[in-house]
Amino acid sequence: MGPNDRRAAERLDRDDPLAGLREQFVIDDPELLYLDGNSLGRLPRRSIARLREVVEREWGERLIRSWNEGWMDLPARAGDLLGEHLLGAAPGQVAVSDSTSVNLYKLAAAALDANPGREAIVSDRHNFPTDRYVLEGLAAERGRRLELVEFDELEGPTAAAVERVVDRRTALLCLSHVDYRSGALADMAAIDAVARRAGAMTLWDLCHSAGAVPVELDAAGADLAVGCTYKYLNAGPGAPAFLYVRREHQARLRQPIWGWFGQREQFAMGQGYDPAPEVSRFLVGTPFVPGVALVEEGAALLAEAGIERLRAKGIALTELIVALHDDWLAPLGFGLASPRDPALRGSHVALAHPDGYRISQALISHARVIPDFRPPDRIRLGPAPATTRFVDVWDAMDRLRRLVADGVHLSVDPTRAKVT
Ligand SMILES: Cc1ncc(COP(=O)(O)O)c(C=O)c1O
């Protein structure tokens, strides 16, 4: 039975050890095929109960006492949970705070300030925009040079390609572990080794990795990392992000925003900034407690499922997309814009089509399939392993091929919406 027989997808669902996980999420319309887990993860049921607990009991009843009853430890506790189960980081190196953009700024600035004699920041010309903009701003602010390198989109930044662009002038190498466009998965350990030999620090963006692919920050020798929690970690729109600082760097790195949550004896209210010796020195101000609590819930749910099982399912789901693309969509003018080898791919697949924007809009308005679109012509399909069934992928691909074969997208307004 080939992949284009729906019964093959049904069998994969029957054999799926994670099939039951889906019930732990709010899915009120099973006919709506949601393939945008790489942008905004679904709502876990337990998060509703936790939010109620935080708001009604901890805030409503316990009021200020809740800071000493658990809120103060929450950013570090949620960070350690992420570190242990999803990021390969021993305790005391991950904290939940601020947004990915702000954390990137803090850590990149700290790395630059620790390497005053090196002028260059190296990144990927096609890295996620916020990463490029933050680095551009930092380069301007601190008189450094930002080198944006053209890596091959399907290969991503390989160790060999990085070796050619990183040298003793490089202070910082900042890359995404999984490319937001193609899903290319970088070899973190090999790239960290190249950077270390050149004496440059590495800063990884893990937005498309955390909760989808195993990350081994400690073992890879990564120096710094940041990532968001609203995609595969299911913590909700705008939930606080995380940051990782390798233990051996913590005492010597200084971040640029000297807030009281980074202070050694915070409640001594003393004169002069004296940062805590540990990862809390990378915090700034009062965390949004309900948001951090949602990060903890999302991380706990995936920790129970196990990142290896999530990864195995992510590979099987994206393999099904690739196989059906080859059979059904390639003849309709689509191209695969993601790596073919699943070991080199994260948990989403990008399909290129000259009319990609109208097709993605038609999928939403006419076929009840939710993908997203990234310029110039990419439809991204991100089947979150925790919540997506194999039949969802099969049905979405079936709706997609019919829609394009029938030319339904040709009637869609090509004006781009604010969020694509
Ligand atoms: C790779 C990557 N970095 C950063 C961000 C966003 O950062 P922030 O949460 O600060 O908006 C995203 C959002 O999609 C992303 O995909």
Side-chain angles (χ1 to χ4, degrees):
M1 205 186 325
N4 46 20
D5 186 331
R6 193 174 190 274
R7 286 172 303 174
E10 289 166 6
R11 193 166 64 198
L12 286 167
D13 280 324
R14 273 197 304 277
D15 296 343
D16 174 12
L18 293 178
L21 195 54
R22 182 178 155 84
E23 280 151 32
Q24 298 196 39
F25 290 81
V26 174
I27 300 179
D28 59 9
D29 180 1
E31 278 303 301
L32 181 74
L33 304 179
Y34 189 65
L35 298 184
D36 210 3
N38 55 318
S39 280
L40 179 65
R42 286 190 184 268
L43 168 60
R45 293 186 190 284
R46 61 197 284 169
S47 298
I48 302 172
R50 177 70 183 275
L51 206 50
R52 187 162 285 145
E53 167 77 10
V54 170
V55 172
E56 290 183 357
R57 199 189 67 79
E58 296 176 15
W59 175 19
E61 291 173 28
R62 300 301 298 160
L63 287 163
I64 196 75
R65 292 167 291 186
S66 285
W67 283 109
N68 278 329
E69 291 168 0
W71 287 354
M72 281 307 275
D73 304 326
L74 196 51
R77 204 169 71 217
D80 282 345
L81 191 66
L82 284 169
E84 180 183 352
H85 297 281
L86 303 170
L87 303 177
Q93 302 177 102
V94 180
V96 173
S97 76
D98 304 311
S99 63
T100 307
S101 306
V102 172
N103 287 336
L104 194 93
Y105 177 80
K106 293 186 295 187
L107 298 194
L112 293 180
D113 292 348
N115 283 297
R118 291 172 172 243
E119 76 216 36
I121 307 167
V122 174
S123 191
D124 180 345
R125 174 160 301 284
H126 302 287
N127 204 347
F128 191 80
T130 208
D131 300 44
R132 289 183 275 114
Y133 305 154
V134 164
L135 297 175
E136 196 182 322
L138 267 169
E141 187 181 285
R142 284 172 159 68
R144 307 293 179 95
R145 188 162 38 80
L146 175 60
E147 291 175 10
L148 292 174
V149 180
E150 286 281 351
F151 294 105
D152 181 88
E153 187 183 340
L154 292 186
E155 282 191 333
T158 60
V162 167
E163 186 127 43
R164 289 193 286 275
V165 293
V166 168
D167 58 27
R168 60 194 163 69
R169 294 164 307 145
T170 314
L172 177 67
L173 171 68
C174 179
L175 296 172
S176 288
H177 186 219
V178 171
D179 184 308
Y180 81 101
R181 300 167 309 158
S182 68
L185 173 62
D187 184 342
M188 183 184 282
I191 291 173
D192 277 323
V194 168
R196 202 173 320 114
R197 277 201 299 278
M201 294 192 85
T202 51
L203 169 50
W204 291 97
D205 182 329
L206 303 179
C207 283
H208 288 270
S209 319
V213 300
V215 180
E216 294 292 343
L217 288 167
D218 286 354
D223 296 309
L224 308 163
V226 296
C228 70
T229 60
Y230 44 74
K231 300 179 191 290
Y232 298 102
L233 296 172
N234 307 302
F242 62 85
L243 58 81
Y244 163 88
V245 181
R246 191 174 193 78
R247 185 179 296 285
E248 69 201 62
H249 299 318
Q250 289 177 7
R252 75 183 181 95
L253 290 187
R254 278 226 171 180
Q255 57 115 336
I257 310 175
W258 294 7
W260 72 318
F261 269 69
Q263 177 77 348
R264 193 183 296 264
E265 294 279 343
Q266 182 180 356
F267 279 87
M269 305 289 186
Q271 291 298 318
Y273 180 65
D274 177 18
E278 65 270 338
V279 75
S280 61
R281 69 165 48 194
F282 300 95
L283 302 180
V284 179
T286 310
F288 180 57
V289 171
V292 189
L294 293 180
V295 175
E296 193 174 40
E297 290 306 314
L301 188 52
L302 294 196
E304 286 163 25
I307 189 64
E308 295 299 339
R309 289 199 300 178
L310 290 161
R311 172 63 172 155
K313 184 170 176 190
I315 286 178
L317 287 164
T318 53
E319 283 290 83
L320 181 58
I321 293 176
V322 172
L324 294 178
H325 159 270
D326 292 348
D327 276 9
W328 295 344
L329 300 182
L332 293 171
F334 282 83
L336 182 66
S338 289
R340 247 178 208 285
D341 180 351
L344 304 178
R345 189 172 72 217
S347 225
H348 72 264
V349 174
L351 303 177
H353 189 286
D355 227 348
Y357 181 68
R358 288 204 295 186
I359 294 171
S360 73
Q361 288 301 302
L363 278 172
I364 298 168
S365 57
H366 290 74
R368 317 209 65 228
V369 176
I370 302 193
D372 64 15
F373 173 82
R374 290 292 175 265
D377 59 0
R378 305 295 151 81
I379 300 166
R380 288 192 312 182
L381 303 177
T387 56
T388 313
R389 296 173 301 192
F390 289 93
V391 289
D392 295 336
V393 163
W394 197 97
D395 290 344
M397 295 296 280
D398 186 43
R399 292 183 199 178
L400 172 54
R401 72 162 159 162
R402 287 172 197 279
L403 179 142
V404 175
D406 295 346
V408 175
H409 60 290
L410 300 175
S411 62
V412 168
D413 180 0
T415 316
R416 302 269 163 101
K418 211 168 193 174
V419 178
T420 61

